[in-house]
Amino acid sequence: MGGGLEGPQKSNGKGRELLLCVLPWPKNAGDKILKEIEREYPNLDVHYFEDSPNKDKSKNTTVPEDLQQRAKVMATLSWLPPNVQAAPNLELIQFFSAGTNHIAQHPIYTDSEIPLTTASGVHGPQIAEWVIMMNLIHSHHYPRYYELQKDRKWENYGAEGRDVRDMVGQRVGVLGYGSIGRQVARVAQAMGMDVIAFTASPRESPESKKDNGFIVPGTGDPEGSIPSAWYSGLDKDNLHKFLSQNIDLLAICVPLTEDTKHLLSTPEFELLSKSNPHKTYIANISRGAIIDQSALITALEKEQISGAALDVTDPEPLPKDNPLWTAPNVLITPHISGGTTRYAERAFQVLKENLGRRKRGEKFVNLVDRKRGY
């Protein structure tokens, strides 16, 4: 814990390469894949440090300078050497997060060309379940019945029950058709929903619609065949065209960049309201700043949208006195939709894939484009 070496370490003989892992899981969380990596790469030394959780500021993970100097490949969630000079031999940094915006001001991000890769793709199953779960909780009026259960009251709101719209024939708009959005689409389609997708760049050919990132087997939309329509563009006109398509469930899955900050504000909520008489339900699992939060509160109060499920807010943690807590028809969870007992194992699978690509001289999977920010 807190920076101690986990398990026996191999020698640091000449000619050997070092994989440095600094992660907030115990080593046994990814032991299965780590052992596969060690068998496949017998010339690789693995040093593992369990990083302190972000909330525990009293503990700081200390990685010896000689290991930072030797490291060829690094696996991390957020810990990094202080600068490029501290880790001159790094040829790959595998992040165990979906994005890298949390380290975008770090010198290794801004002042180096070390390839950075993410764990994008490992979050799809659990986050898609969260999105569909929250939509069902809302549409079936479950919060009211949960309160009745706590009070031991058996009250049948007959009219409310008749007001439930099941998901068959409804439309889900997936704003950001990456690995998470594709799994939302897969589950939504299985429930009888129509799916439309929005991406930053056009996806006009079958090849461009494919998912070239890491895919959890049996999930997602590898060929990009699920959406009945695709929309694209970073300008407001194209975004508004997408939002005008009578969307019942809007799943926000775009990364946070300068282009996407406050992507949804008053004009967008007004447009959603006009385009769907049933009112759109919004689920945000991306980053809180994608939405103009004050505009969202107003849209909820004016009933321009039917409600919102938020796993992310701006800021985080959300202050106790923030009016979002008491806005009507809002459900808030503390950035937990990506959690699963399989997380570390799947992220190590991405690392294993990239070690293979490095050996073969191929392009890394989930390679970060620093200019685009993801």
Side-chain angles (χ1 to χ4, degrees), residues 57-131:
K57 302 298 184 182
S58 65
K59 297 180 180 179
N60 293 312
T61 301
T62 302
V63 178
E65 291 183 4
D66 65 311
L67 295 183
Q68 297 181 48
Q69 289 279 330
R70 283 188 54 215
K72 284 282 190 178
V73 179
M74 183 176 175
T76 183
L77 185 68
S78 57
W79 188 95
L80 285 172
N83 50 51
V84 181
Q85 293 72 28
N89 293 304
L90 272 177
E91 296 180 0
L92 169 65
I93 300 177
Q94 174 69 61
F95 285 93
F96 275 39
S97 54
T100 53
N101 60 293
H102 60 297
I103 53 91
Q105 303 306 315
H106 193 283
I108 283 182
Y109 190 100
T110 59
D111 302 338
S112 84
E113 296 182 358
I114 300 169
L116 312 176
T117 56
T118 72
S120 177
V122 309
H123 308 79
Q126 63 272 29
I127 292 184
E129 290 176 10
W130 184 94
V131 170

Side-chain angles (χ1 to χ4, degrees), residues 134-135 138-139 248-250 252 269 272 278-284 291 296-297 299-310 324 327-332:
M134 298 303 255
N135 188 47
H138 171 74
S139 64
D248 294 292
L249 169 61
L250 178 63
I252 301 174
F269 295 130
L272 287 170
H278 296 289
K279 306 304 180 186
T280 303
Y281 190 67
I282 294 176
N284 187 10
I291 296 177
L296 172 64
I297 293 170
L300 290 165
E301 292 173 343
K302 289 184 175 181
E303 298 184 354
Q304 292 177 323
I305 56 177
S306 68
L310 309 172
L324 185 62
N329 295 317
V330 66
L331 297 171
I332 301 173

Side-chain angles (χ1 to χ4, degrees), residues 184-204:
V184 170
R186 185 186 184 105
V187 178
Q189 184 189 56
M191 298 185 74
M193 299 186 78
D194 177 50
V195 177
I196 61 174
F198 186 93
T199 52
S201 55
R203 306 295 176 93
E204 298 173 350

Side-chain angles (χ1 to χ4, degrees), residues 281-295:
Y281 190 67
I282 294 176
N284 187 10
I285 53 77
S286 180
R287 291 294 184 268
I290 302 293
I291 296 177
D292 178 346
Q293 203 156 273
S294 61

Side-chain angles (χ1 to χ4, degrees), residues 215-232:
I215 302 172
V216 176
T219 72
D221 181 17
E223 299 298 318
S225 60
I226 291 177
S228 61
W230 290 68
Y231 299 83
S232 62

